Amino acid sequence: MVRIPKSHPRYWSLLYREKIIESMEEGITAKAGLIAHGRGEAFDYLIGERTIEPAERAMKVAVAKLLLAEYPVISVNGNVAALVPRETVELAKAVNAKLEVNLFYRTEERVRKIAALLKEHGAGEVLGLNPTKKIPGLESERGKVDENGIWKADVVLVPLEDGDRTEALVRMGKFVITVDLNPLSRSARMAHVTIVDNIVRAYPRMIELAREMRDYDRKELEKIVKEYDNERTLSDVLRHIRDRLTRLAEEGIWRRERLVT
Amino acid sequence: MVRIPKSHPRYWSLLYREKIIESMEEGITAKAGLIAHGRGEAFDYLIGERTIEPAERAMKVAVAKLLLAEYPVISVNGNVAALVPRETVELAKAVNAKLEVNLFYRTEERVRKIAALLKEHGAGEVLGLNPTKKIPGLESERGKVDENGIWKADVVLVPLEDGDRTEALVRMGKFVITVDLNPLSRSARMAHVTIVDNIVRAYPRMIELAREMRDYDRKELEKIVKEYDNERTLSDVLRHIRDRLTRLAEEGIWRRERLVT
């Protein structure tokens, strides 16, 4: 792994970039996962590389819904495993959810490697190794799910997910939560709760929230979910980016003149 | 290579994504180049996947400056070689510039492969195989340049370039032109002329412009360069993205409600 000086202004972004590359070399992340990571970097840059209020709001609702769920399942793909393996396991424990490895570019080897990685980080059961069910409307490889996992779930957390699959899960009647840095993506638009944040910031915060909120009574949790409006959240994210671009365009972000004079 | 139906609304984006993956497998593009490509995809999406007016304006100035140059050099890296090998050679011919392979993640093997690829596409001389000079202020591997190429150049075109390197070239007194889809990147801000466009659209257009403009007299070309303001171009790009986001947010991009009801 390339060493990045901690003093670098974008240390975290570069560190996770290296993590994704390393995970591809280990056979955990798909090649297309690197490109997807780059898209995420671009949107994170536009957001300002921090958790904004609409994301905090969506996280609170997501955690409430996971705590209220009868059978919550958290999906894990190659990019998620590369970036937040430990946090994924901790979050599942904090909300008492099942873990299922679910890959867009599915190979048995990648599924096994990701399951092993999650176990190294303390996971008990990991589903998705023998998926016998199929999400209707998706072609066979991409629709495979575990009978005791996503198939059976009432609430699913599918971070960094493909739009077709998010849509298919909504059609199945699942309550769908996603984490996606692109507020315009189909996943972002299709999900019931969309957390527009970098998963490396979102998951640690969701774990904190889960530990805090699991003492709330059901009424309180239900109220949080009931009052939520995902369209408004997404509009607020777009407004945040728009205002940030306006400021940058007007304040002048240009350093060359200062450099050469 | 995965086959993409031509009818797909984002056919070109998906085609070039596959090209980049293929080039990595061939040892032409670096792994980090895939992530960089993803960042570019996201910004291209925000721009609207078309050449906007501020990019056309910057291209005209870039071509004028290349035609006026005493010793213009066009730099080629792994992503450029993957996306526009033929166009790179044609553009160099159209403005009478040298070609230099210049890599951020330099290995002799990658340099040789890229040089061979350019020759397959009709390049005569390709520089960068034996770089004996070093750009001041960069660590050794990343600063290597050819004595008869970038070292000697008065005008350099360094597309999809790293910010540190762009800055170092400006410090050396070169006139720096870049192609970068991210109007906020350090390269974009440091260069004298920044073409915020996808290189797969920009290079063909620049070739057209070069063929048209090489009959202009020097006075006319000088006037085009003199009247140009790169900061304004970048602000105009940011404003374009901002307005596009506003439209997308207001027109209602939300389809879930329509889907489930």
Side-chain angles (χ1 to χ4, degrees), chain A residues 113-183:
Chain A
K113 281 186 177 170
I114 293 169
L117 182 72
L118 293 174
K119 290 201 170 176
E120 271 173 45
H121 283 91
E125 188 185 25
V126 177
L127 301 164
L129 291 153
N130 293 302
T132 54
K133 293 288 183 182
K134 215 186 123 310
I135 303 172
L138 293 179
E139 45 142 329
S140 69
E141 271 311 297
R142 295 189 174 166
K144 284 184 176 177
V145 283
D146 199 301
E147 184 165 6
N148 294 309
I150 290 170
W151 183 257
K152 201 170 148 184
D154 54 343
V155 178
V156 289
L157 169 55
V158 284
L160 320 187
E161 186 54 279
D162 163 69
D164 272 355
R165 301 218 296 184
T166 304
E167 178 171 347
L169 290 169
V170 170
R171 278 186 197 276
M172 274 179 89
K174 312 288 183 195
F175 188 97
V176 178
I177 302 162
T178 194
V179 180
D180 193 328
L181 277 161
N182 178 359

Side-chain angles (χ1 to χ4, degrees), chain A residues 63-103:
Chain A
V63 169
K65 192 72 190 181
L66 286 164
L67 288 168
L68 286 168
E70 276 182 37
Y71 204 87
V73 172
I74 298 178
S75 178
V76 187
N77 66 22
N79 285 42
V80 173
L83 298 170
V84 284
R86 184 175 55 78
E87 293 82 353
T88 296
V89 175
E90 277 183 35
L91 180 60
K93 284 180 181 168
V95 298
N96 204 16
K98 302 273 181 198
L99 283 172
E100 175 167 346
V101 179
N102 200 269
L103 306 181

Side-chain angles (χ1 to χ4, degrees), chain A residues 22-62:
Chain A
E22 201 182 40
S23 286
M24 185 193 66
E25 288 164 350
E26 287 167 357
I28 283 177
T29 304
K31 286 163 196 160
L34 262 67
I35 298 176
H37 185 77
R39 289 196 295 277
E41 280 187 2
F43 282 102
D44 203 12
Y45 198 80
L46 288 176
I47 286 166
E49 292 178 330
R50 64 183 182 84
T51 299
I52 59 176
E53 187 280 327
E56 173 76 16
R57 196 195 311 163
M59 283 193 268
K60 208 168 171 190
V61 178

Side-chain angles (χ1 to χ4, degrees), chain A residues 25 39 41 190 256, chain B residues 31 39 41 190 242 256:
Chain A
E25 288 164 350
R39 289 196 295 277
E41 280 187 2
M190 289 295 169
R256 188 169 53 76
Chain B
K31 286 162 195 159
R39 287 195 298 278
E41 278 187 6
M190 289 294 167
R242 182 199 63 190
R256 188 169 53 75

Side-chain angles (χ1 to χ4, degrees), chain B residues 53 55 114 119 173 175 191 220:
Chain B
E53 186 280 327
I114 293 169
K119 291 201 168 174
F175 188 98
E220 215 167 339

Side-chain angles (χ1 to χ4, degrees), chain A residues 2 50 59 93 96 136 142 188 210 217 225-226 237 240 242:
Chain A
V2 178
R50 64 183 182 84
M59 283 193 268
K93 284 180 181 168
N96 204 16
R142 295 189 174 166
D217 60 37
V225 176
K226 204 169 166 249
V237 171
H240 166 85
R242 187 197 60 192

Side-chain angles (χ1 to χ4, degrees), chain B residues 11-251:
Chain B
Y11 172 78
W12 291 107
S13 177
L14 299 179
L15 179 79
Y16 284 106
R17 187 182 298 175
E18 289 306 320
K19 276 200 184 188
I20 281 280
I21 291 175
E22 201 183 41
S23 286
M24 184 193 68
E25 288 164 350
E26 287 166 358
I28 282 177
T29 303
K31 286 162 195 159
L34 263 67
I35 298 177
H37 186 78
R39 287 195 298 278
E41 278 187 6
F43 282 104
D44 202 14
Y45 185 81
L46 290 174
I47 287 165
E49 291 176 333
R50 64 182 183 84
T51 298
I52 59 176
E53 186 280 327
E56 173 76 15
R57 195 195 310 164
M59 283 193 270
K60 210 169 169 191
V61 178
V63 169
K65 192 72 190 178
L66 286 164
L67 289 169
L68 286 167
E70 276 182 36
Y71 204 89
V73 173
I74 299 179
S75 178
V76 186
N77 66 23
N79 285 45
V80 174
L83 298 171
V84 283
R86 183 175 55 78
E87 293 82 353
T88 296
V89 174
E90 277 183 33
L91 180 60
K93 285 182 181 168
V95 298
N96 204 15
K98 303 273 180 195
L99 282 173
E100 176 168 344
V101 179
N102 199 268
L103 306 180
F104 189 74
Y105 297 96
R106 183 186 175 86
T107 70
E108 296 311 311
E109 201 197 339
R110 285 183 62 226
V111 174
R112 265 186 284 109
K113 281 185 179 172
I114 293 169
L117 182 71
L118 294 173
K119 291 201 168 174
E120 272 174 43
H121 285 90
E125 188 184 26
V126 177
L127 300 165
L129 291 152
N130 294 300
T132 54
K133 293 288 183 182
K134 215 186 121 313
I135 302 172
L138 293 179
E139 44 141 333
S140 68
E141 272 309 300
R142 294 188 176 166
K144 284 183 176 177
V145 283
D146 199 302
E147 185 166 5
N148 294 311
I150 290 171
W151 182 258
K152 202 169 150 184
D154 54 343
V155 178
V156 289
L157 168 56
V158 285
L160 321 187
E161 185 54 279
D162 164 69
D164 272 355
R165 302 218 296 184
T166 305
E167 178 171 348
L169 290 168
V170 171
R171 278 185 197 278
M172 275 179 89
K174 312 287 184 197
F175 188 98
V176 178
I177 302 161
T178 195
V179 179
D180 193 328
L181 277 160
N182 178 359
L184 300 167
S185 77
R186 223 143 56 78
S187 278
R189 291 182 277 133
M190 289 294 167
H192 296 91
V193 178
T194 306
I195 298 159
V196 184
D197 200 5
N198 194 324
I199 197 166
V200 308
R201 293 188 301 266
Y203 269 22
R205 179 64 187 138
M206 287 170 80
I207 294 163
E208 275 179 12
L209 284 169
R211 286 173 185 159
E212 206 177 295
M213 290 165 68
R214 62 185 162 195
D215 297 328
Y216 288 19
D217 60 38
R218 285 189 75 84
K219 280 251 154 63
E220 215 167 339
L221 295 173
E222 279 161 3
K223 187 165 175 280
I224 291 168
V225 174
K226 203 168 167 252
E227 286 173 352
Y228 181 70
D229 180 344
N230 203 46
E231 293 194 29
R232 211 186 121 199
T233 300
L234 290 171
S235 288
D236 288 347
V237 171
L238 289 175
R239 247 174 249 123
H240 168 85
I241 295 175
R242 182 199 63 190
D243 294 345
R244 190 154 181 272
L245 283 173
T246 305
R247 257 197 323 278
L248 289 168
E250 281 168 5
E251 277 173 15

